[in-house]
Amino acid sequence: ESQSYQKTKKKDSARDGKVMDPKTTEEDQVEPTAAIEHRSFARIGFLGNPSDVYFGRTISFTIANFWASVKLQPSRHLLINPHPFHDHVRFSSLHHLLDRLQNEGYYGGVRLLMAICKIFSNYCKDNAIQLHQGNFSLSYDTNIPRQTGLSGSSAIVSAALNCLLDFYNVRHLIKVQVRPNLVLSAEKELGIVAGLQDRVAQVYGGLVHMDFSKEHMDKLGHGIYSPMDISLLPPLHLIYAENPSDSGKVHSKVRQRWLEGDEFIISSMKEVGNLAEEGRIALLNKDHSKLVELMNRNFDIRRRMFGDECLGGMNIEMVEVARRVGAASKFTGSGGAVVVFCPEGPSQVKLLEEECRKSGFTMQEVKIARSCLNDSEIETL
């Protein structure tokens, strides 16, 4: 679960595989004091995605398989510490640098931490929330696989926001419903195109039904978010590629077509959003055969709207691998990983494992992460 850890002793750098902060200068050091650390989990879009950016509805949940953690340590100067791997700036050769850019891109997590600091500060200023003058250092670590549609970037931002809320003691002054907007604003600051679904899932944790209808968005500035009991979910599995090289290279024109009033896109996106409402009822009724139908239909509608060239051959193959053994499957996000439900149980799971092994895909049992909200925050909902 997401937690805030109050630490008074220095952690061993090897424990839990965490990366220790780079050394600070003597000038930066302050008297030892409690550090704050938060963990934000990867998320799976279960039903309704990608209708969240089209005034639709979704059901998503966080998984304990993967997470990002951010550590805030009070310090004399404000420091944003680069990660020794994800913010790599030292290379053995030009070839090493080019290979790195090809596989990892130009950006690590430092820019994400800087962006949420800016958005958080501006929000507090605009809403007359007083912040004390203390400084801090921020560092992060993550084990969320890249380009798998599991919301790795927003996990870092969400964890950092939680650290800032606690450091400045303003958690009670910023509504839970507003926090996903802050996370999304930080990413938009960097040109990342996304919707609220992932950020809601990671701010709330656990299983959440989300209604992004235009009426709510216009009136409240956010959707209606309803936590659900995680025990309603059946056993699920995750399939992803270790090296997602063919994850869809063609830019989607769906958004532009929707804005231009394309009837096929508008009606299809409405149909996708309705799947979340049908899924909510199916979960409450433990209607697993209905869930199979809804998961498969979610992907099929997405495929009709976006087209195979946009989705990418490897992503489609992950879905097809599951369907070949009779399992239900769909994207966890925009591609890169697939969530699978094997309604026939362990025997079907074994068949799926064998198919994934043949195809070179990684498969894991999904471990659901519980809500990360404390009791007082839950009461405010």
Side-chain angles (χ1 to χ4, degrees):
E1 295 178 38
S2 274
Q3 322 178 27
S4 174
Y5 298 96
Q6 298 300 321
K7 298 180 181 66
T8 55
K9 295 184 179 180
K10 192 174 182 181
K11 228 179 189 179
D12 178 69
S13 61
R15 193 170 72 188
D16 296 330
K18 293 191 182 298
V19 178
M20 295 300 293
D21 295 342
K23 292 181 179 178
T24 57
T25 65
E26 185 175 337
E27 184 183 4
D28 292 323
Q29 294 174 354
V30 295
E31 289 298 315
T33 186
I36 298 167
E37 186 167 356
H38 278 280
R39 182 178 282 191
S40 185
F41 292 99
R43 78 87 194 89
I44 286 178
F46 187 53
L47 287 169
N49 56 311
S51 75
D52 57 314
V53 291
Y54 301 92
F55 302 118
R57 284 172 284 191
T58 65
I59 295 176
S60 297
F61 56 86
T62 47
I63 62 173
N65 303 64
F66 304 110
W67 63 85
S69 62
V70 174
K71 180 181 178 181
L72 183 152
Q73 177 71 56
S75 62
R76 192 174 304 280
H77 299 286
L78 200 155
L79 304 170
I80 307 293
N81 292 310
H83 191 280
F85 177 78
H86 300 294
D87 298 288
H88 205 48
V89 292
R90 181 175 179 176
F91 307 93
S92 59
S93 65
L94 182 60
H95 175 76
H96 182 202
L97 182 145
L98 296 179
D99 183 65
R100 171 74 182 197
L101 293 179
Q102 176 69 28
N103 293 303
E104 303 291 333
Y106 285 91
Y107 304 114
V110 165
R111 65 181 188 140
L112 298 170
L113 299 180
M114 295 174 71
I116 189 58
C117 286
K118 174 183 176 180
I119 295 299
F120 171 79
S121 176
N122 287 345
Y123 178 85
C124 291
K125 181 179 179 181
D126 292 343
N127 290 274
I129 298 173
Q130 297 296 319
L131 302 179
H132 63 72
Q133 297 301 307
N135 280 329
F136 54 85
S137 66
L138 281 178
S139 58
Y140 77 97
D141 198 5
T142 181
N143 65 1
I144 301 176
R146 293 186 66 257
Q147 298 181 348
T148 51
L150 295 172
S151 299
S153 294
S154 59
I156 294 172
V157 181
S158 179
L161 175 60
N162 273 319
C163 289
L164 294 171
L165 292 173
D166 286 344
F167 178 69
Y168 289 104
N169 193 28
V170 294
R171 185 172 290 275
H172 60 295
L173 298 177
I174 300 180
K175 292 197 306 181
V176 175
Q177 295 91 332
V178 169
R179 296 174 199 170
N181 294 38
L182 301 182
V183 176
L184 182 60
S185 294
E187 294 180 89
K188 284 185 175 179
E189 181 83 9
L190 303 171
I192 297 173
V193 180
L196 277 168
Q197 172 193 217
D198 305 355
R199 291 86 202 153
V200 173
Q202 289 170 328
V203 165
Y204 280 66
L207 176 65
V208 188
H209 176 276
M210 311 168 201
D211 183 346
F212 299 100
S213 69
K214 192 173 189 303
E215 177 187 358
H216 298 323
M217 297 300 293
D218 289 345
K219 181 179 179 180
L220 305 173
H222 56 76
I224 301 296
Y225 312 134
S226 306
M228 300 178 68
D229 189 339
I230 62 172
S231 68
L232 295 172
L233 287 167
L236 299 169
H237 288 80
L238 181 71
I239 297 175
Y240 63 96
E242 294 285 356
N243 183 24
S245 57
D246 180 23
S247 56
K249 299 290 190 285
V250 178
H251 182 69
S252 168
K253 295 181 180 179
V254 168
R255 179 69 177 175
Q256 187 59 38
R257 290 172 63 186
W258 184 81
L259 290 171
E260 291 172 354
D262 186 306
E263 290 186 10
F264 169 70
I265 297 298
I266 290 173
S267 62
S268 296
M269 205 60 76
K270 183 177 180 180
E271 185 179 355
V272 170
N274 288 339
L275 297 179
E277 184 55 32
E278 292 184 62
R280 185 186 69 83
I281 296 170
L283 285 171
L284 291 171
N285 293 334
K286 297 284 186 178
D287 187 347
H288 289 175
S289 61
K290 185 66 173 179
L291 289 179
V292 169
E293 174 198 333
L294 295 174
M295 289 176 67
N296 285 332
R297 200 179 347 147
N298 202 146
F299 176 76
D300 292 342
I301 299 171
R302 175 192 280 267
R303 189 173 185 176
R304 290 202 305 267
M305 284 191 291
F306 288 82
D308 288 4
E309 196 174 9
C310 179
L311 298 187
M314 180 178 288
N315 288 327
I316 294 172
E317 176 61 15
M318 281 189 279
V319 172
E320 295 296 341
V321 159
R323 292 189 175 185
R324 283 199 289 268
V325 301
S329 58
K330 63 175 293 295
F331 286 177
T332 62
S334 58
V338 167
V339 58
V340 181
F341 173 37
C342 295
E344 296 172 19
S347 61
Q348 195 173 36
V349 172
K350 279 194 173 184
L351 292 175
L352 180 60
E353 288 174 343
E354 180 60 23
E355 287 296 321
C356 286
R357 186 190 64 78
K358 291 178 183 177
S359 302
F361 297 135
T362 298
M363 175 178 162
Q364 288 189 20
E365 180 182 354
V366 169
K367 302 173 183 176
I368 311 298
R370 295 181 179 277
S371 172
C372 54
L373 302 178
N374 60 42
D375 291 342
S376 61
E377 288 173 323
I378 291 174
E379 287 176 8
T380 67
L381 304 180

